[in-house]
Amino acid sequence: RFQVTIPEGLAPGETFEATVKVIVKEGNTMISSETGQQAKLSVEDVNRRVAELQTSFFSQSNALFRKNLTFQGKRRAANCCLLLVPLFLTVLVLLLQLFIENLFLNRNFVRCPYCGPKDDFADVYCSGQDCADFFFYDNSTVDGAL
């Protein structure tokens, strides 16, 4: 508490300057405040204050979770976009894939999915079908060709 004497002739709401004198005990540690003024605290006071301010990991994570939940609750449009844009892009890619398959790859013959080197395994697995037929087929032999 400070006792301040208001100068005479000062109307309510007007400002004035006051000088405050702080008595400091010897043997204390010097710290600076935001205003640039200095105050002295003892080492015991500093250690006691640090001990009072320490919190557990659970309480810190709980406070952070609640802060983020409150913050995200105010951003409903952004949250909707975060959920709907990937879903929309996935559906778009699937539709594009179906369109391309129906337009270009909808043929009446069975293609061999193995496209490795021409060896005994390829002859048995692909029933003698050449790997090039998988990519470059002859339109004249396919029913319903474009």
Side-chain angles (χ1 to χ4, degrees):
R1 285 190 161 188
F2 299 102
Q3 285 187 337
V4 179
T5 305
I6 300 174
E8 292 184 25
L10 193 65
E14 290 185 43
T15 59
F16 64 96
E17 291 186 16
T19 304
V20 178
K21 185 176 182 181
V22 179
I23 301 172
V24 179
K25 298 177 184 176
E26 291 186 28
N28 293 337
T29 306
M30 187 70 87
I31 61 170
S32 296
S33 66
E34 292 177 1
T35 59
Q37 297 175 343
Q38 296 182 344
K40 292 187 178 184
L41 295 173
S42 67
V43 175
E44 293 83 22
D45 289 340
V46 172
N47 290 336
R48 181 182 47 79
R49 182 78 173 139
V50 168
E52 288 174 2
L53 292 176
Q54 287 181 344
T55 58
S56 67
F57 173 77
F58 175 75
S59 63
Q60 288 181 11
S61 59
N62 185 26
L64 184 63
F65 173 75
R66 286 186 286 121
K67 180 200 68 122
N68 287 335
L69 188 64
T70 303
F71 180 70
Q72 290 299 327
K74 296 175 184 177
R75 298 173 42 111
R76 294 176 194 250
N79 290 334
C80 289
C81 287
L82 285 173
L83 293 174
L84 294 178
V85 167
L87 183 66
F88 173 74
L89 290 176
T90 303
V91 169
L92 184 68
V93 167
L94 288 175
L95 290 175
L96 186 64
Q97 179 182 359
L98 287 173
F99 175 73
I100 290 174
E101 284 180 358
N102 285 333
L103 185 63
F104 297 112
L105 302 177
N106 194 12
R107 305 293 180 223
N108 294 332
F109 65 92
V110 177
R111 292 178 297 241
C112 177
Y114 175 77
C115 192
K118 186 73 173 160
D119 57 3
D120 293 335
F121 176 77
D123 289 338
V124 172
Y125 186 80
C126 296
S127 302
Q129 182 182 6
D130 188 15
C131 186
D133 293 339
F134 179 74
F135 296 104
F136 310 106
Y137 50 86
D138 184 11
N139 284 339
S140 64
T141 61
V142 179
D143 295 334
L146 297 175

